[in-house]
């Protein structure tokens, strides 16, 4: 079986999704111990903090203003910084290869295509809908950076923030009727509109897209070799009109390479960095390496795991998350 950019991306995304599920399972075991439902101690897996982007943004704000690393969710800050570096160096590699939500969104987009439903709205509507995720991103960034030092420290050390991962897990394990209705609506919209959540609503993806916009890697098209078949544009999950661009700079590009794999003309489309052609695998491999390096460095530097002793951490979760 030929390894195409699309298949390679699916394999990497599936692997990270399975790792996320395993981290979630380990976190459940940790909470069982913290609540007294189990006597077997299981260390809290730092990877679950990757699902706390707002807390990570707060930690980033503290790092910028004071130079101190947030110890409430240290791994979350490491993942956040890795995602920013990843976005600048390898497009929106976090969205395209790591994020489990992006993986599920992609599966719904594929299902929508097979059902003949997945579409991109007319340009004016499409641009108008993009505003929502940038407004969300701007709101979060403004709120975080407008906080005074005392308010920031107070929130970071609050039981609410320190146990926010437990509430996040509870949301997934015991969603309310309203939450289920919203998730069902998003799933239906994702069948009708390509990658609806990622395209119009995800503020995290909006921030990463801005970093990717200034990065060195991009898809380049050979205008003379192009036969204007439209396969590249049709295959793009972000709906970018690749066949009309000499270089894809859009903040919506996730570096998936589907356009490169769909192009029937050898050498017409390809990734380039600093004027040089690079293999399409570079984006995926580079994104994974950035995350792995961040994990190894954070562990070596002692900024991956929460430094509180297990018994103290247990009391924090019992008080802050109501685990009794």
């Amino acid at each position: 079986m030929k390894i195409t950019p699309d298949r390679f991306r699916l394999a990497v995304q599936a692997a990270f999704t399975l790792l996320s599920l395993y981290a979630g399972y380990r976190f459940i075991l940790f909470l069982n111990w913290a609540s007294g439902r189990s006597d077997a101690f299981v260390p809290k897996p730092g990877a679950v903090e990757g699902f706390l982007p707002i807390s990570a943004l707060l930690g980033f704000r503290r790092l910028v203003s004071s130079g101190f690393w947030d110890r409430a969710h240290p791994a979350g800050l490491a993942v956040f910084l890795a995602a920013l570096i990843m976005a600048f160096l390898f497009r929106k590699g976090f969205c395209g290869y790591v994020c489990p939500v992006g993986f599920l969104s992609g599966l719904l987009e594929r299902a929508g295509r097979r059902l003949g439903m997945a579409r991109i709205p007319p340009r004016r509507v499409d641009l108008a809908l993009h505003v929502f995720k940038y407004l969300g991103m701007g709101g979060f960034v403004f709120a975080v950076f407008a906080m005074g030092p005392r308010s920031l420290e107070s929130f970071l050390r609050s039981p609410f923030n320190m146990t926010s991962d437990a509430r996040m897990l509870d949301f997934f394990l015991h969603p309310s009727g309203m939450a289920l209705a919203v998730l069902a609506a998003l799933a239906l919209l994702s069948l009708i509109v390509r990658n609806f959540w990622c395209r119009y609503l995800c503020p995290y993806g909006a921030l990463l897209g801005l970093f990717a916009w200034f990065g060195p890697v991009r898809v380049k098209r050979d205008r003379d070799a192009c036969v204007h078949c439209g396969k590249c544009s049709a295959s793009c999950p972000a709906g970018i009109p690749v066949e009309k661009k000499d270089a894809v700079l859009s903040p919506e590009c996730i570096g998936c390479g589907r356009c490169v794999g769909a192009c029937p003309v050898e050498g017409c489309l390809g990734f380039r960095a600093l004027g040089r052609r690079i293999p399409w695998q570079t984006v995926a491999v580079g994104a994974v390496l950035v995350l792995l390096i961040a994990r190894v460095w954070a562990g070596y530097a002692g900024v991956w795991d929460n430094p509180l002793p297990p018994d103290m951490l247990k009391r924090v979760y019992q008080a802050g998350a109501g685990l009794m």
Side-chain angles (χ1 to χ4, degrees), residues 79-290:
V79 172
F80 180 76
L81 291 175
L84 295 182
I85 295 170
M86 209 184 297
F88 178 74
L89 293 178
F90 303 107
R91 305 304 303 173
K92 289 166 62 174
F94 185 86
C95 300
Y97 294 94
V98 178
C99 180
V101 178
F103 177 59
L104 294 176
S105 180
L107 293 180
L108 288 169
E109 184 249 347
R110 291 166 188 273
R113 284 175 182 263
R114 291 187 178 182
L115 294 172
M117 300 168 63
R119 295 287 187 273
I120 298 295
R123 181 170 175 77
R124 289 185 179 180
V125 176
D126 184 46
L127 291 175
L129 290 174
H130 271 91
V131 170
F132 289 102
K133 71 176 180 181
Y134 288 103
L135 285 176
M137 179 204 71
F140 284 126
V141 171
F142 176 79
V144 168
F145 280 85
M147 293 179 71
R150 289 186 179 181
S151 297
L152 179 64
E153 289 293 331
S154 177
F155 183 84
L156 287 173
R157 295 180 182 182
S158 68
F160 178 87
N161 178 59
M162 293 189 70
T163 59
S164 55
D165 42 14
R167 272 182 290 276
M168 176 266 301
L169 179 65
D170 186 65
F171 170 81
F172 286 111
L173 294 181
H174 308 100
S176 64
M178 178 61 72
L180 287 174
V182 171
L183 291 174
L186 288 173
L188 178 60
L189 287 168
S190 296
L191 289 173
I192 300 172
V193 180
R194 294 187 205 171
N195 292 310
F196 183 85
W197 166 260
C198 304
R199 189 175 185 82
Y200 301 126
L201 298 178
C202 181
Y204 199 8
L207 178 63
L208 297 181
L210 294 181
F211 274 75
W213 201 359
F214 296 99
V217 174
R218 60 206 58 184
V219 172
K220 296 273 285 188
R221 180 180 67 95
D222 186 334
R223 186 185 301 180
D224 296 329
C226 182
V227 295
H228 298 284
C229 64
K231 291 183 178 180
C232 54
S233 299
S235 67
C236 178
I240 301 170
V242 181
E243 64 173 308
K244 298 179 181 179
K245 298 181 177 294
D246 293 334
V248 178
L249 299 176
S250 171
E252 299 305 313
C253 176
I254 58 176
C256 66
R258 280 172 72 170
C259 57
V260 177
C263 182
V265 180
E266 184 70 26
C268 177
L269 277 180
F271 284 105
R272 287 186 176 272
L274 303 176
R276 295 186 178 183
R277 195 177 186 92
I278 58 175
W280 58 261
Q281 298 94 333
T282 304
V283 174
V285 173
V288 172
L289 280 177
V290 168

Side-chain angles (χ1 to χ4, degrees), residues 284-297:
V285 173
V288 172
L289 280 177
V290 168
L291 194 58
L292 290 177
I293 291 171
R295 171 63 183 93
V296 172
W297 172 83

